[in-house]
Amino acid sequence: MALFAVFQTSFLLALLSLRAYQSEVLVEPLPLTPESLNVSIDSAHQYLNLQWSVHSLAYYQELKMLFQIQISRMKTSNVIWVGNYSTVVKRDPVLHWSWKSELPLECATHFVRMRSRVDDAKIPEPRFWSNWSSWKEADAQKSLGRDPLFLFPKDKLVEEGSNVTICYMSRNQQDNISCYLEGQQIHGEQLDSNVSAFKLNKVSFIRKTGTNIFCKVDQKDVIKGIVLFVSKVLEEPKDFSCETQDFKTLTCTWDPGTDTSLPKRSSQSYTLFESFSGKKILCEHKNSCNWQVDSDSQEMYNFTLVAENALGNRSVSVLFSLTHRVHPKTPYNLFLKNVSGTKATVTWKVHPIGNYSTLLCQLDLLGEGNVIQQHNVSIKENGEYLLSELEPDTEYMARVRCADANHFWKWSGSISQKFITAEAAPSEALDVWRNVKSVSGRPTVTLFWKPLSKLHANGKILSYNVTVENLDRLSGLEVHSVPATANGTELTLDQDSYQIHVTALNSAGPSPASVIVVSGDPGNEEVEEERVNGTEDGFSVSWKPQSGKAIGYVVEWCDHPQDLPCDLQWKNLSSNTTSTVISSGAFRPGVRYNFRIYEISTERMAYLLEKKAGYLKELAPSDNPQVVVSNLTSHSFTLSWKDYSTDSQPGFIQGYYVYLRSKAEKECHPGFKKATLPDKSACCQHRIDNPEQKTFVMENLQPESVYEFLVTPYTSAGSGPLDAFTKVTTPDEYSHILIRIILPMIVCVLLIMITCYLKSQWMKEKCYPDIPDPYKSNVLSLIKSKENPHLTIMNVSDCVPDAIEVIHKPEGSKIQFLGASKSLTETEFTKPAYLYLLPAEKNYSGPGPCICFENLTYNEAAADSGSCGHFPVTPEALPGQPGPLTSPENLLKALEKNYMNSLGETAAGEASLNYVSQLASQMSGDKDSLPANPPEPVLCSEYKMQMAIPLGLASPPPAENSGLSSTTPLDQSEHYR
Amino acid sequence: MLACLCTVLWHLPAVPALNRTGDPGPGPSIQKTYDLTRYLEHQLRSLAGTYLNYLGPPFNEPDFNPPRLGAETLPRATVNLDVWRSLNDKLRLTQNYEAYSHLLCYLRGLNRQAATAELRRSLAHFCTSLQGLLGSIAGVMAALGYPLPQPLPGTEPTWAPGPAHSDFLQKMDDFWLLKELQTWLWRSAKDFNRLKKKMQTPAAAVTLHLEAHGF
């Protein structure tokens, strides 16, 4: 019993103590101080990794706890970070937590401690912090080695725009260290005696090979560097969408944005995740991904695309129904069939989408790049459509694209096919005009037509048919075929009226005929021309209807009136039109355009109605007329410019300005007014208002004065150039009288002189013969008749010549002879050679005194010397035998021969000797010129006769020759020596 | 008599009929090799400029002269002048051959790492030229009767950075590779110029001797 009591007491005490303990636990705060705190360093990511445990949770499976962590740098008192970490602690837990340091952990020692507190609702308050754990040191410097300098972090990868802290640590405090970022020195914050840090804010991408940062110890060969790789910011994928073409594959596409790849570091990757099925695939491409549709069961899809690189990720999602994302494949087999001039059938095929899907196809008809028709066709597989309202001979393009008919998402790709419709006959008649002119008296009609537009030609025009029908006589139709390249033809007709049909032909047939009636009678061409003003829009032409039966009007003009052909143009106008504006790109200012308005009668005959002429813009004349001066008197002259055409000027000539200026006259004549020329000089101006007045008389002028005049036309735009004045000098008042007297006198004198010249030989013979004939002398007859009837004239034959004087003159001395007489005496050859025909006896006595006629014409030198000239000239010896004559022997021989001829042959009437010789008197003259043994002076007068006889007159008349001792014709050339 | 013989033999190479069949000797090969080194020098100037710009400052700065940290395995071109003068032909050529063999390997490694296609093209072109120089040196050695140096097994040079090799050190190595290559090309130009001059006189003597023997 006692044992039971003891056991019971003990049990109660134990129970009490247990209850007491339990109540103490529940009331007092739990002393869950972190234990076994361990700090490690992750240098690559600059993390301080903390690991600790919480001892004995005792009665709780799990408990929410709050841990407060303190981190100090360099020393424990330098707390740089304090933070809380809340977590649910389970039984016997080992807890982990990391702290990322901005400063590279290698550059400074870090200290960590923590404390904890229960933060669980199961534990009633108040709750208390546990005690701090002891400081734990994290020192990475110990493992660095013994290098003198370190630079951290090593080759870090950051995103563009982030902040980076770089630090260096030197072993030697005395070292002077300088650091450079991309070659530029940077200065940092000194954390310790041997640690400095540099904070780089918002770093930017420079190059793919990274940003270089290096530090070096001055004066030492120590350098440390790092490369900071700055990656482009990873962008969220843009334009993310998915679609299917066949309900088997979903193709998702997106725009990846900037490439963030760096050397040795891969670019961003893309992952596609579908939330309904929970499937996930890694995409092979950067901008697209294919997702296999397993079955028809899944209608809705929720895709999330995640872009990820080493620094982070971006994602984008899309939710859609598969049937709403159908993008059909491009249709195929597009063909055109049954293509006619206006219709064509288009067929095509599509790839089927599912069993019940219907496609809506859009068929476009394009002409010249523009959509002309658009049709929507719903089809399953095969499409067909009949295109109508097409133009013949026109190129079109049929284009087809399709989309899901139930839920439009996107058009498929397009397929297109070109085709050309067939030709049809031209749909419109040609626009024909004519020009009738008379060639050699026959009317010639030139037909012009404008080519049909493509719209109306309906095909390639092969030729034009011109059918001519005589309206006045019954005759067959005349058909002309004109090639397609021509735009007109010429027909030669007669005076009858003709109806001309013109049609254009293509492969499908002719066009409607264009009918025109022409007549040989051109009708009334005498229509007064009116003027029409040109504007920027063209010429506004109006006319007055005449007959009232016109079926239309035609205005005709030339685009290039100054050219040939003038490029005839015409414009058809309806019968109720009486005005029109004629415009053409060819119209130029300063060109006169002539418009002719024709009325088309009901017989389709054209009658000239009106003529108009005008300028698009009048210009001032560019040239002045060629002015002719006439009727020049001492007081007036007439100006005339009748050749000046007023029609071919750059404006309507309204008149002329006549300018006159004179230095002699300061005042202007009546009718003139003073004007100033562009060169500031003054002149007088007279205005002629009538363009057809093309003469002007300048009056009231001063005699013997210089006048300058200029005639220039003027138009509404101005006058012609004022540059070239023409000078006119007025004669004096008597000049015309003088001219009337002096001119005839001059003419008379001239006539006399000409007559004298023509009759000079006769005059010479009559008035002053070379050798006067004593028989003809009047003196002789006078003497004979009055004083001595027996007195006779001595005959020359009575004198016996005793010597021939030969004088040779070389040709080369001609100039000398002419130049100076002195040279004659100095020239050896010119010395006279004497040939003695009779014995040179001293006592020789001649037959008596002779009369000596001396003609000095032949040798002036000889005349000067006082001796008669003796010219031994032999034609054979002169040019051909200069040599023999130079030697005395040859000369003598020649002369001997001549002499013999002269004695024997000359007497017989021949004249082989052609010089005249006579005795020379040696009495007077130059003694030096005489030979060493000169003949004795002849006491009597010598007969010295010379006569020049032309070669043609070699045989003189016997009557005249009979008195001469010897006569020899002289060579003509010698005659002039 | 001997002078006469010498004169005749000296002009023998000029005789086309004899020259066509005769061995021209190593002279032309040395000249070609010399020309190739000058060409490569020119080519490298352009390539180095591009590549150093690709690395960025300070590597492209003209006065940047870092210590040769990780580039110890590169063959050194710089040598004491007296030592260089005292080199015999065989050793001179062998050093050139070995240096370019190593440099070519390193350069190919550089090419593999290049990030831009244009740079890769330039490097590949230069590697081809350098391969040609190597072949040319081998030709000269063969002409002179020298054997080509055999690479020791397992000593194939590589240019792969080690695990602790930072990117900055890698750039330094690239810098030194280009610098060393340039220095080698300068040295080679001098080597082959010296060899060329040296070969001219003795080569004539050798020719003389051989031709005389032929007589």
Side-chain angles (χ1 to χ4, degrees):
Chain A
M1 190 60 188
L3 182 65
F4 177 75
V6 171
F7 180 75
Q8 189 178 20
T9 304
S10 302
F11 178 77
L12 287 172
L13 283 172
L15 187 64
L16 281 171
S17 63
L18 180 63
R19 286 186 63 88
Y21 176 76
Q22 280 184 333
S23 63
E24 187 183 36
V25 166
L26 290 173
V27 172
E28 291 179 2
L30 289 169
L32 300 176
T33 305
E35 295 179 345
S36 309
L37 176 62
N38 184 26
V39 182
S40 62
I41 294 173
D42 178 2
S43 292
H45 301 98
Q46 295 182 24
Y47 276 116
L48 272 180
N49 294 323
L50 276 59
Q51 179 183 306
W52 71 96
S53 61
V54 177
H55 179 69
S56 177
L57 278 181
Y59 308 104
Y60 303 99
Q61 291 294 321
E62 56 181 30
L63 201 62
K64 189 180 179 185
M65 293 190 70
L66 184 67
F67 298 93
Q68 190 172 53
I69 303 165
Q70 273 189 346
I71 298 175
S72 300
R73 183 174 287 163
M74 306 287 187
K75 51 189 179 183
T76 53
S77 59
N78 181 27
V79 176
I80 57 166
W81 189 86
V82 177
N84 294 332
Y85 169 58
S86 176
T87 187
V88 175
V89 181
K90 296 181 179 176
R91 186 179 295 273
D92 294 329
V94 175
L95 298 169
H96 299 273
W97 182 79
S98 295
W99 175 74
K100 187 175 175 63
S101 172
E102 282 184 13
L103 181 74
L105 295 169
E106 295 87 346
C107 286
T109 306
H110 288 77
F111 300 92
V112 181
R113 70 174 182 176
M114 63 166 59
R115 61 181 180 177
S116 63
R117 192 184 76 180
V118 173
D119 192 23
D120 200 318
K122 290 181 282 189
I123 306 298
E125 296 204 24
R127 301 161 190 156
F128 301 100
W129 285 107
S130 70
N131 293 325
W132 286 103
S133 67
S134 59
W135 287 102
K136 291 291 178 183
E137 182 182 339
D139 187 3
Q141 295 177 356
K142 292 174 184 170
S143 58
L144 288 180
R146 304 193 58 79
D147 283 0
L149 181 67
F150 296 96
L151 189 62
F152 297 104
K154 279 187 178 178
D155 304 334
K156 191 176 175 66
L157 173 67
V158 295
E159 200 168 63
E160 191 175 25
S162 54
N163 301 329
V164 180
T165 303
I166 295 160
C167 64
Y168 74 80
M169 185 177 63
S170 69
R171 294 292 187 195
N172 191 345
Q173 294 179 15
Q174 275 74 44
D175 284 343
N176 190 13
I177 294 163
S178 48
C179 295
Y180 300 86
L181 168 70
E182 287 292 303
Q184 299 292 319
Q185 191 168 3
I186 50 175
H187 302 281
E189 176 192 359
Q190 189 159 10
L191 302 179
D192 194 1
S193 56
N194 55 353
V195 176
S196 286
F198 309 90
K199 190 161 186 179
L200 309 178
N201 294 321
K202 294 184 179 176
V203 291
S204 56
F205 174 85
I206 296 176
R207 69 181 73 80
K208 286 204 164 190
T209 52
T211 305
N212 302 319
I213 301 152
F214 74 99
C215 298
K216 62 180 182 181
V217 181
D218 292 352
Q219 312 299 331
K220 287 185 180 176
D221 200 13
V222 176
I223 183 169
K224 289 284 170 149
I226 59 166
V227 179
L228 181 67
F229 290 97
V230 181
S231 163
K232 292 273 187 184
V233 177
L234 179 64
E235 295 177 20
E236 184 179 277
K238 292 185 278 286
D239 304 328
F240 176 50
S241 71
C242 301
E243 61 190 25
T244 182
Q245 289 191 319
D246 51 7
F247 286 103
K248 291 177 183 171
T249 305
L250 263 170
T251 303
C252 297
T253 56
W254 62 91
D255 174 10
T258 311
D259 181 20
T260 62
S261 66
L262 291 171
K264 295 189 280 183
R265 287 165 180 82
S266 60
S267 178
Q268 68 266 32
S269 62
Y270 292 89
T271 309
L272 195 61
F273 173 69
E274 204 285 305
S275 61
F276 294 120
S277 61
K279 290 181 182 174
K280 182 179 178 181
I281 58 168
L282 184 64
C283 299
E284 293 180 4
H285 306 287
K286 281 187 176 179
N287 57 355
S288 68
C289 212
N290 287 329
W291 184 275
Q292 296 302 318
V293 177
D294 285 340
S295 63
D296 296 338
S297 58
Q298 189 175 350
E299 172 65 21
M300 296 300 295
Y301 286 84
N302 185 11
F303 280 111
T304 301
L305 178 69
V306 181
E308 189 171 14
N309 67 4
L311 297 171
N313 61 62
R314 303 277 190 282
S315 65
V316 61
S317 297
V318 62
L319 173 68
F320 60 89
S321 168
L322 185 63
T323 54
H324 293 189
R325 293 290 187 272
V326 178
H327 186 195
K329 289 182 180 176
T330 304
Y332 62 102
N333 283 359
L334 176 68
F335 295 115
L336 273 302
K337 57 184 184 182
N338 304 331
V339 180
S340 68
T342 54
K343 292 179 180 177
T345 303
V346 190
T347 61
W348 70 94
K349 288 188 173 183
V350 293
H351 300 274
I353 303 173
N355 295 330
Y356 307 105
S357 292
T358 304
L359 291 178
L360 173 71
C361 292
Q362 189 179 65
L363 169 63
D364 291 338
L365 180 70
L366 291 92
E368 295 178 348
N370 301 315
V371 177
I372 299 167
Q373 296 179 18
Q374 194 170 69
H375 309 280
N376 290 328
V377 188
S378 290
I379 61 167
K380 289 282 188 186
E381 275 191 57
N382 298 314
E384 182 173 318
Y385 192 83
L386 176 64
L387 292 168
S388 56
E389 297 177 4
L390 307 179
E391 298 291 341
D393 189 41
T394 306
E395 186 181 84
Y396 292 100
M397 180 190 275
R399 186 175 66 188
V400 176
R401 58 181 182 173
C402 300
D404 188 357
N406 301 320
H407 306 284
F408 181 84
W409 165 241
K410 275 182 186 175
W411 287 113
S412 69
S414 295
I415 183 172
S416 59
Q417 181 71 44
K418 285 183 179 177
F419 66 99
I420 299 174
T421 50
E423 290 192 358
S427 60
E428 197 164 89
L430 288 163
D431 183 2
V432 179
W433 186 235
R434 92 292 177 273
N435 182 27
V436 184
K437 61 188 175 187
S438 180
V439 177
S440 306
R442 297 193 67 185
T444 301
V445 178
T446 308
L447 293 173
F448 302 94
W449 55 81
K450 294 173 183 170
L452 286 171
S453 65
K454 194 175 184 310
L455 181 69
H456 297 123
N458 289 345
K460 185 182 178 185
I461 299 298
L462 302 174
S463 65
Y464 297 97
N465 268 0
V466 179
T467 309
V468 183
E469 181 187 0
N470 193 325
L471 297 177
D472 298 338
R473 281 181 291 172
L474 275 175
S475 62
L477 293 176
E478 197 178 330
V479 180
H480 302 267
S481 181
V482 181
T485 51
N487 287 328
T489 187
E490 196 169 89
L491 302 171
T492 303
L493 306 173
D494 52 25
Q495 298 298 329
D496 294 343
S497 295
Y498 289 88
Q499 191 174 53
I500 301 168
H501 301 251
V502 185
T503 54
L505 286 171
N506 67 8
S507 64
S511 69
S514 181
V515 182
I516 192 165
V517 176
V518 295
S519 169
D521 178 17
N524 179 24
E525 289 285 326
E526 299 302 320
V527 177
E528 191 174 344
E529 184 178 88
E530 295 174 16
R531 289 185 181 179
V532 63
N533 292 327
T535 62
E536 288 182 355
D537 300 327
F539 292 92
S540 181
V541 180
S542 61
W543 58 92
K544 292 173 185 169
Q546 277 189 347
S547 63
K549 294 179 182 176
I551 62 167
Y553 297 95
V554 171
V555 181
E556 171 196 285
W557 75 94
C558 283
D559 261 357
H560 304 284
Q562 293 161 336
D563 299 342
L564 277 176
C566 67
D567 194 9
L568 184 73
Q569 304 290 319
W570 69 96
K571 185 176 181 181
N572 284 307
L573 297 148
S574 63
S575 58
N576 54 2
T577 310
T578 57
S579 68
T580 186
V581 174
I582 305 294
S583 58
S584 167
F587 287 160
R588 296 282 178 270
V591 178
R592 184 172 185 147
Y593 295 98
N594 297 303
F595 300 93
R596 294 161 73 92
I597 298 120
Y598 291 89
E599 180 187 85
I600 309 298
S601 69
T602 50
E603 295 84 21
R604 298 187 179 276
M605 184 91 81
Y607 298 99
L608 180 63
L609 205 61
E610 290 183 23
K611 287 183 188 175
K612 309 269 183 185
Y615 293 84
L616 197 64
K617 184 186 175 187
E618 285 191 67
L619 301 179
S622 56
D623 299 313
N624 291 332
Q626 294 290 327
V627 180
V628 176
V629 180
S630 58
N631 302 333
L632 177 63
T633 68
S634 54
H635 294 287
S636 69
F637 59 84
T638 304
L639 303 177
S640 171
W641 57 96
K642 292 188 176 173
D643 294 337
Y644 186 70
S645 168
T646 53
D647 292 342
S648 57
Q649 302 307 320
F652 291 115
I653 300 297
Q654 296 179 346
Y656 306 93
Y657 288 116
V658 180
Y659 291 92
L660 182 71
R661 67 184 178 192
S662 166
K663 291 180 180 175
E665 296 180 31
K666 300 296 179 188
E667 295 299 322
C668 292
H669 297 158
F672 281 81
K673 64 176 183 179
K674 281 199 171 181
T676 306
L677 295 173
D679 61 357
K680 309 290 182 191
S681 63
C683 67
C684 298
Q685 183 197 56
H686 175 74
R687 177 168 158 169
I688 300 171
D689 291 330
N690 180 10
E692 297 308 319
Q693 182 191 331
K694 295 180 182 176
T695 57
F696 183 75
V697 180
M698 289 280 190
E699 293 174 316
N700 304 322
L701 305 178
Q702 297 291 326
E704 290 185 274
S705 299
V706 177
Y707 289 94
E708 289 180 282
F709 70 87
L710 174 71
V711 178
T712 181
Y714 67 90
T715 67
S716 64
S719 64
L722 302 174
D723 46 6
F725 276 72
T726 307
K727 280 187 180 179
V728 173
T729 306
T730 52
D732 63 71
E733 289 181 276
Y734 307 104
S735 63
H736 64 284
I737 301 168
L738 288 173
I739 285 168
R740 283 176 192 170
I741 296 169
I742 290 170
L743 262 179
M745 284 180 70
I746 290 170
V747 170
C748 287
V749 169
L750 277 174
L751 281 173
I752 292 165
M753 286 175 71
I754 290 165
T755 310
C756 290
Y757 175 75
L758 292 174
K759 295 291 181 182
S760 59
Q761 198 63 31
W762 180 81
M763 292 282 289
K764 188 178 177 183
E765 291 293 329
K766 285 293 178 188
C767 301
Y768 53 95
D770 287 338
I771 305 169
D773 189 351
Y775 293 100
K776 295 178 181 177
S777 172
N778 294 330
V779 179
L780 187 61
S781 61
L782 203 65
I783 296 169
K784 268 186 176 180
S785 60
K786 291 182 178 177
E787 294 178 6
N788 189 2
H790 301 286
L791 188 65
T792 57
I793 297 169
M794 187 191 75
N795 198 332
V796 178
S797 59
D798 296 339
C799 296
V800 179
D802 61 344
I804 296 171
E805 182 184 341
V806 178
I807 298 173
H808 174 69
K809 287 196 288 183
E811 289 184 12
S813 60
K814 176 183 174 184
I815 298 171
Q816 286 177 313
F817 286 138
L818 295 173
S821 60
K822 184 186 173 187
S823 62
L824 182 70
T825 57
E826 290 173 355
T827 308
E828 186 184 357
F829 299 115
T830 58
K831 286 181 179 177
Y834 295 91
L835 192 65
Y836 295 94
L837 301 178
L838 295 176
E841 294 173 359
K842 290 184 180 178
N843 54 359
Y844 172 75
S845 60
C850 300
I851 298 169
C852 180
F853 297 98
E854 186 175 6
N855 185 355
L856 300 180
T857 309
Y858 292 88
N859 192 340
E860 289 179 4
D864 289 344
S865 65
S867 60
C868 295
H870 301 273
F871 295 91
V873 179
T874 309
E876 296 85 0
L878 266 174
Q881 300 172 347
L885 284 176
T886 55
S887 65
E889 294 82 1
N890 292 340
L891 188 63
L892 284 171
K893 283 178 186 173
L895 289 172
E896 198 170 22
K897 184 182 175 187
N898 291 341
Y899 170 68
M900 293 306 291
N901 287 339
S902 67
L903 288 180
E905 297 172 17
T906 308
E910 293 179 22
S912 59
L913 272 178
N914 55 356
Y915 69 92
V916 179
S917 177
Q918 60 277 320
L919 291 172
S921 171
Q922 301 295 332
M923 291 181 66
S924 61
D926 192 358
K927 288 185 179 178
D928 294 342
S929 62
L930 297 175
N933 189 14
E936 287 294 319
V938 180
L939 297 176
C940 66
S941 297
E942 291 177 346
Y943 177 78
K944 298 200 305 186
M945 174 182 156
Q946 292 177 337
M947 186 170 182
I949 301 170
L951 284 173
L953 304 172
S955 302
E960 293 183 6
N961 203 20
S962 60
L964 296 175
S965 59
S966 79
T967 304
T968 309
L970 267 173
D971 186 277
Q972 204 167 7
S973 62
E974 289 298 321
H975 171 78
Y976 291 108
R977 286 187 177 183
Chain B
M1 183 65 187
L2 184 63
C4 240
L5 186 64
C6 285
T7 311
V8 168
L9 292 175
W10 180 258
H11 289 94
L12 268 180
V15 179
L18 296 174
N19 200 27
R20 200 174 296 133
T21 52
D23 182 10
S29 300
I30 294 170
Q31 180 63 45
K32 268 198 281 184
T33 313
Y34 171 77
D35 292 341
L36 194 53
T37 54
R38 300 310 302 265
Y39 167 67
L40 279 168
E41 260 187 76
H42 169 76
Q43 207 179 340
L44 182 63
R45 266 198 291 275
S46 166
L47 175 68
T50 310
Y51 195 85
L52 295 179
N53 280 334
Y54 163 76
L55 295 182
F59 301 100
N60 58 355
E61 289 169 358
D63 54 347
F64 182 63
N65 189 23
R68 227 178 123 105
L69 296 176
E72 291 302 328
T73 54
L74 284 173
R76 279 181 182 274
T78 47
V79 65
N80 184 278
L81 189 60
D82 292 333
V83 175
W84 179 75
R85 279 180 181 150
S86 66
L87 288 174
N88 61 33
D89 297 342
K90 184 183 175 185
L91 198 54
R92 192 182 297 281
L93 287 165
T94 303
Q95 284 186 358
N96 269 277
Y97 187 85
E98 283 176 344
Y100 288 118
S101 299
H102 283 72
L103 289 168
L104 183 61
C105 279
Y106 295 145
L107 210 57
R108 283 177 176 152
L110 206 68
N111 188 19
R112 282 192 289 273
Q113 296 163 23
T116 67
E118 187 189 348
L119 201 56
R120 278 198 294 274
R121 268 198 301 276
S122 301
L123 281 164
H125 178 62
F126 189 80
C127 283
T128 309
S129 303
L130 201 61
Q131 181 72 58
L133 177 64
L134 209 55
S136 195
I137 296 170
V140 173
M141 291 179 76
L144 293 174
Y146 303 144
L148 288 180
Q150 295 298 319
L152 291 173
T155 57
E156 190 68 23
T158 56
W159 198 240
H165 215 64
S166 74
D167 288 301
F168 192 82
L169 280 177
Q170 181 64 52
K171 286 187 176 184
M172 294 257 277
D173 290 351
D174 294 350
F175 174 86
W176 270 106
L177 169 60
L178 294 173
K179 189 170 181 176
E180 206 62 72
L181 191 53
Q182 196 164 48
T183 318
W184 263 109
L185 287 169
W186 289 340
R187 174 177 163 176
S188 294
K190 288 186 178 299
D191 278 337
F192 290 109
N193 197 34
R194 187 181 179 86
L195 209 56
K196 187 173 63 174
K197 286 179 182 169
K198 193 178 170 186
M199 284 295 153
Q200 277 172 357
T201 317
V206 169
T207 310
L208 174 68
H209 169 72
L210 291 172
E211 295 296 328
H213 193 71
F215 270 105

